[in-house]
Amino acid sequence: MTKKTITINYTEYKSAAAMEPKDRELVEAALEARSGSYAPYSKFHVGAALRLVDGTIVKGANQENVAYPSGLCAERTAMFAAGANYPGVAFDTLAIVGANGDEVCEMPAAPCGGCRQVMAEYQRHFGRPLRVILIGTHAIYKFGKVEDLLPLIFDSLKVE
Ligand code: THU
């Protein structure tokens, strides 16, 4: 038996002011994207902004449904919109912010497992790291690749 440890890496910023300009712009876009949230049930408004490698920014926001499982997270609305509208253009960075009503969470809201799996799929598909930024009012976390949010990714199907 061997005990092992997995280390994940991320950078913490006190605010967006300390980030590089293209990331600051993406943080702003994610904050704006919250206005597209349809969350009458949870009142938790999530905004996502996805930068593609050509510089295009695609926004997403959570969409709820009275039949709860029919709704979708903000991250996936952004990634699927990009996949559908800009096929073949690789993803560079995904920024995410959660808010209770209009109040942005103090600590960064973490994406659900389903969204992490979708991030992993596109990262593998495009063959380049997908950077992820999680935004809170007290801290912002930047991850350089999806493995740092989803260690031991399931990718064993030899479908490609
Ligand atoms: N939600 C997201 O949009 N992203 C996540 O990663 C977690 C949760 C949404 C789904 C639902 O509309 C609301 O937040 C409460 O769970």
Side-chain angles (χ1 to χ4, degrees), residues 98-126:
N100 286 298
D102 285 336
E103 292 233 334
V104 173
C105 298
E106 291 184 355
M107 296 312 289
C112 78
C115 288
R116 294 178 200 212
Q117 184 64 36
V118 172
M119 291 175 204
E121 178 71 27
Y122 286 109
Q123 179 175 271
R124 184 170 59 88
H125 173 58
F126 290 121

Side-chain angles (χ1 to χ4, degrees), residues 10-99:
Y10 65 101
T11 308
E12 178 174 339
Y13 298 88
K14 287 277 162 259
S15 79
M19 303 182 87
E20 55 183 300
K22 77 178 173 63
D23 288 342
R24 266 201 323 260
E25 185 193 17
L26 205 62
V27 168
E28 272 313 307
L31 289 164
E32 286 166 17
R34 284 175 302 148
S35 64
S37 166
Y38 175 67
Y41 306 105
S42 72
K43 316 259 191 274
F44 191 64
H45 299 271
V46 186
L50 175 63
R51 178 186 294 282
L52 309 184
V53 289
D54 68 359
T56 304
I57 293 177
V58 179
K59 290 180 186 171
N62 55 327
Q63 306 296 315
E64 297 186 350
N65 192 282
V66 65
Y68 284 16
S70 299
L72 197 62
C73 294
E75 299 90 317
R76 270 179 280 178
T77 66
M79 289 187 281
F80 291 161
N85 290 295
Y86 303 92
V89 185
F91 298 179
D92 180 71
T93 309
L94 176 63
I96 304 154
V97 63

